[in-house]
Amino acid sequence: MNILKQFFLAACCIPFVCSAKQIAIVIDDIGNHQRDIEILNLPGQITFSILPHTPYSQVFARLATQSNKELLLHVPMQAIDNSKALGPGALTSAMNKEQLQSTLGHALASLPQVKGINNHMGSELTQHTEPMKWTMEVLKKRGLYFLDSRTTNHSQAQHVANLYGVNNISRQVFLDNIVTEQQLSQQIDKLKQKAERYSFAIAIAHPYPETIDFLKRALPELERQGYQLVPLSQLVNRKYIQLAKAENKEFSAR
């Protein structure tokens, strides 16, 4: 693989040639509470990531699809801290290939509306190449993309996704690790700085009441400031369009 391609595939933070500063915000952990359904009223093209086999996953997916909202499957994956409850549909390092792929396939079958997946926790599992290979095999067959939530700096997920030809991208900002007005404001400023620098930015948030109240105010302001809120797949597609253009340019220069 040539150096240019390695650069484009290895990094999420790649400057793209585009006049619009595009932002994708993914709200994780959807499906456990009825109040999650109200989040569909947030303005703009928010992407929602649904936990599998949860009480409100099906109704949320149906209503979100009717509202033309993009969906991901929020796949629970083993964390370094084993005391954290993963919930149903979890992938663990104790699984063999058949068990992992069956578990993931069953979760995907329950939510056929999704365009991709991202990891819920996963600080342990995403560090291991073998389970990531099995995961990417499933995504490749189904034509789904992978968002690396980046719960560890040692994640192998994107590297393996590249090997299997699975379109992928990674999170740059967590909006609400600390749920205070000051912290949320600081993180949204960080997101805007990323969008200014790279012409795009990706954030993950959660359905905390404080976060949702903040986003109700912040999202219209983002658009007034010239940022375009887009579904996550638009940034994934944009990444690979730019990669193809760069490869064609390099080939023509030979």
Side-chain angles (χ1 to χ4, degrees), residues 168-183:
N168 63 88
I169 205 160
S170 71
R171 179 273 315 165
Q172 294 156 295
V173 176
F174 276 122
L175 286 183
D176 53 2
N177 276 349
I178 302 173
V179 189
T180 64
E181 184 75 17
Q182 180 181 10
Q183 184 67 17

Side-chain angles (χ1 to χ4, degrees), residues 27 30 35-42 48 60 207-208 212:
I27 299 184
I30 296 294
R35 66 173 181 266
D36 292 348
I37 296 171
E38 299 174 9
I39 301 172
L40 286 169
N41 294 323
L42 282 172
F48 298 96
F60 187 95
Y208 308 137
I212 302 309

Side-chain angles (χ1 to χ4, degrees), residues 184-209:
L184 287 164
S185 295
Q186 287 178 358
Q187 292 302 96
I188 206 79
D189 286 343
K190 184 177 179 181
L191 184 66
K192 290 190 288 186
Q193 290 167 10
K194 296 284 187 184
E196 292 284 347
R197 181 175 181 184
Y198 302 113
S199 81
F200 85 104
I202 298 167
I204 285 178
H206 301 86
Y208 308 137

Side-chain angles (χ1 to χ4, degrees), residues 75-168:
V75 181
M77 297 186 187
Q78 186 172 332
I80 293 172
D81 183 356
N82 287 321
S83 67
K84 294 183 177 180
L86 290 172
L91 309 181
T92 71
S93 56
M95 290 177 167
N96 60 31
K97 179 177 181 177
E98 182 180 359
Q99 291 169 328
L100 185 146
Q101 292 189 336
S102 175
T103 300
L104 179 56
H106 182 50
L108 287 168
S110 72
L111 291 167
Q113 302 95 329
V114 303
K115 291 191 174 182
I117 76 168
N118 72 321
N119 51 297
H120 172 57
M121 296 192 275
S123 56
E124 171 67 23
L125 197 72
T126 59
Q127 293 191 47
H128 298 288
T129 302
E130 205 67 15
M132 289 299 97
K133 288 180 178 178
W134 303 337
T135 299
M136 299 310 162
E137 283 183 3
V138 174
L139 299 187
K140 182 64 175 177
K141 289 178 181 177
R142 294 173 180 255
L144 302 174
Y145 68 81
F146 182 81
L147 167 66
D148 193 342
S149 301
R150 297 294 297 178
T151 55
T152 172
N153 289 330
H154 304 292
S155 173
Q156 298 298 307
Q158 284 190 277
H159 171 67
V160 176
N162 293 334
L163 293 177
Y164 279 78
V166 173
N167 287 0
N168 63 88

